Amino acid sequence: MSTTAASQLDSITDRIKHGERLTFDDGLYLEREADLHVLGRLANLVREKKNGNVAWYNTNIHLNPTNVCVYRCRFCAFRADLKDEKAYTFSDEMLRERILEGQSGGATEIHVVGGLHHRKKFDWYVNVIRTLHETCPEIHIKAWTPVEIHWFSFITKKPIEWILEQMIDAGLGSMPGGGAEIFDPEVRSQICEHKADSSVWFDVHRAAHQLGLRSNATMLYGHVEDVSHRIDHLLRLRELQDETGGFQTYIPLAFHPENTELDHIRKPDGLFDLRMVAVGRLMLDNFDHVKAYWIMMGEQTAQLALSYGADDLDGTVVHELIYHDAGAKTPEGKTVEQLHNLIHEAGREPVERDTLYRRVIRDGRNWTVAAGQ
Ligand code: V47
Ligand code: SF4
């Protein structure tokens, strides 16, 4: 290592230990030059300062109400045209069955995202949330990305705030982090040309936070972007978090190329995944949590990630489709016991949370959140 590189690492280490903020250039350095294990140790310092030895998980279920989508993101293996053999759309009965399945498995959360079906009116999407909420009001509904909210605003000609208010009235509890991809416009034009741009993504999260909803943030890495796009992405997230404080967790998402238009690109390996977790943890000093989404990362890398900056594994995730359509080899769900084992093996303490990171006290399928949270 050159003297300049060593002094840059010393300076970064010093600032991390004093809780000081890292710059764009620090981010570039950490991604390009820092030894992965040194990077992991630094990220682990921050992770343990914020979350101790705890590794959070939740009991959740996924629902993608339709895969029919007007857009054609080049990284997406999930979408379908209306007439495709694999096209599907849930009926009300299927929605009820899915959330009742979650209830019987003790789920505290349902995660709902899908395609943008051009034949469905806004009322149909509101009805998805209302039907789920009325069937199992105790289950938190985390639903829709800014891409969907923007589409609803487009088809109704109503402002984003109005759309969010209708959804909250129907039972929406928070928003997931999807649709972020990479914020840089040049990259977006190559991978998801027509869908909501970065300013829309931020406007929707800002509006959601102002209405009292919490939300998550993601970054899709390992496709056509480069390191400067990734650091820029993280700094833009950090800026909105400074303004609103409404983000709960950051989730780096590795591109899975199978069955996509970008299938010539190699899937990021475990070392890349760990680097993304660690750099995210270090740059996003104002985020409480970093999630190692085991479905996407694989169980073993996710276990390691718990010592490279991550403090959350997501959840039992029954019925995942987006990653499995794109070639993920992980199971489509896990039992709580399996998640506990993964976390214990990684030397961490498993703690069940609800969507809002309140500790869950559980007795089989019955649960409540700990008092005072
Ligand atoms: O926005 C789509 C990504 C996202 C592929 O907030 C792909 O708790 C890799 O956002 N390879 C949806 N990624 C998933 C998502 C998410 C997942 C888990 C938890 C939370 C949360 C949010 O998945 C999309 C896109 O960025 N995606 N296709 C693919 N082939
Ligand atoms: Fe449609 Fe979402 Fe797939 Fe893009 S990522 S094509 S918006 S389902």
Side-chain angles (χ1 to χ4, degrees):
M1 197 191 297
S2 71
T3 323
T4 342
S7 65
Q8 186 158 5
L9 184 61
D10 287 346
S11 152
I12 290 176
T13 305
D14 210 43
R15 276 177 290 137
I16 290 169
K17 286 186 174 158
H18 288 94
E20 288 171 29
R21 186 157 268 197
L22 302 183
T23 64
F24 182 81
D25 286 342
D26 295 330
L28 289 184
Y29 170 81
L30 290 173
E31 264 229 29
R32 285 184 178 140
E33 319 253 352
D35 174 84
L36 177 62
H37 305 300
V38 172
L39 184 59
R41 271 204 297 281
L42 290 174
N44 194 46
L45 280 180
V46 179
R47 179 247 191 264
E48 291 191 351
K49 206 175 193 178
K50 287 182 184 274
N51 290 281
N53 197 37
V54 166
W56 302 96
Y57 70 91
N58 71 344
T59 307
N60 61 351
I61 189 161
H62 279 217
L63 162 67
N64 307 114
T66 180
N67 61 355
V68 175
C69 189
V70 289
Y71 292 131
R72 295 180 169 273
C73 301
R74 296 183 68 214
F75 56 79
C76 180
F78 163 74
R79 74 163 300 283
D81 287 330
L82 189 58
K83 299 231 161 82
D84 282 355
E85 213 173 288
K86 74 165 202 166
Y88 72 83
T89 302
F90 268 51
S91 64
D92 286 4
E93 196 42 44
M94 289 159 84
L95 294 171
R96 282 191 282 271
E97 265 172 36
R98 177 60 58 88
I99 195 153
L100 287 169
E101 180 190 338
Q103 187 185 53
S104 66
T108 64
E109 168 189 289
I110 186 159
H111 170 119
V112 185
V113 290
L116 309 167
H117 193 310
H118 53 292
R119 295 260 177 97
K120 297 293 178 196
K121 299 212 165 86
F122 178 56
D123 287 353
W124 182 80
Y125 295 91
V126 177
N127 179 62
V128 168
I129 302 300
R130 200 177 294 288
T131 303
L132 296 173
H133 184 60
E134 285 177 358
T135 310
C136 298
E138 78 283 10
I139 298 186
H140 180 107
I141 303 175
K142 178 180 72 172
W144 313 134
T145 69
V147 177
E148 286 148 319
I149 301 294
H150 178 245
W151 174 253
F152 304 152
S153 170
F154 173 74
I155 58 177
T156 57
K157 310 281 176 256
K158 299 276 192 188
I160 282 165
E161 288 75 11
W162 185 86
I163 301 287
L164 289 170
E165 280 162 2
Q166 304 307 301
M167 289 294 177
I168 293 170
D169 183 57
L172 180 71
S174 67
M175 286 177 65
E181 326 315 356
I182 286 282
F183 293 131
D184 179 84
E186 175 54 33
V187 172
R188 267 186 123 70
S189 75
Q190 289 180 54
I191 62 169
C192 53
E193 194 182 351
H194 300 293
K195 84 174 181 188
D197 64 15
S198 63
S199 67
V200 169
W201 196 93
F202 282 103
D203 286 349
V204 172
H205 280 275
R206 184 181 291 105
H209 296 169
Q210 282 164 354
L211 289 170
L213 292 180
R214 306 301 302 273
S215 67
N216 295 334
T218 58
M219 176 176 79
L220 178 67
Y221 63 87
H223 41 90
V224 304
E225 89 291 359
D226 68 26
V227 49
S228 64
H229 301 128
R230 294 193 288 269
I231 304 300
D232 168 67
H233 187 97
L234 294 174
L235 293 196
R236 294 192 204 206
L237 290 176
R238 190 169 80 181
E239 203 176 307
L240 183 64
Q241 181 72 332
D242 275 345
E243 190 187 319
T244 66
F247 288 123
Q248 306 201 98
T249 183
Y250 165 67
I251 313 150
L253 296 172
F255 174 51
H256 280 49
E258 229 174 272
N259 305 320
T260 77
E261 281 183 30
L262 300 174
D263 61 1
H264 55 281
I265 296 176
R266 227 177 106 207
K267 178 177 166 305
D269 61 19
L271 301 178
F272 193 176
D273 293 339
L274 291 176
R275 191 170 283 276
M276 290 303 97
V277 169
V279 171
R281 179 59 287 169
L282 291 171
M283 297 308 291
L284 296 174
D285 58 350
N286 52 5
F287 276 60
D288 289 340
H289 305 286
V290 172
K291 195 184 275 189
Y293 184 38
W294 67 265
I295 284 267
M296 170 276 292
M297 219 173 242
E299 292 98 320
Q300 286 153 0
T301 309
Q303 281 179 308
L304 279 171
L306 293 176
S307 296
Y308 279 73
D311 58 277
D312 186 346
L313 283 189
D314 199 89
T316 44
V317 196
V318 184
H319 293 298
E320 202 287 331
L321 282 186
I322 294 176
Y323 282 86
H324 289 88
D325 283 354
K329 302 289 182 284
T330 43
E332 275 187 37
K334 276 207 180 296
T335 62
V336 166
E337 195 188 346
Q338 288 169 326
L339 280 179
H340 273 216
N341 288 342
L342 280 183
I343 294 171
H344 279 307
E345 281 167 16
R348 299 294 187 186
E349 178 203 348
V351 177
E352 181 171 357
R353 62 165 176 87
D354 70 355
T355 311
L356 304 175
Y357 285 85
R358 297 175 298 189
R359 281 177 186 242
V360 167
I361 301 168
R362 179 172 291 282
D363 178 13
R365 50 177 275 197
N366 299 317
W367 57 274
T368 179
V369 290
Q373 295 195 65

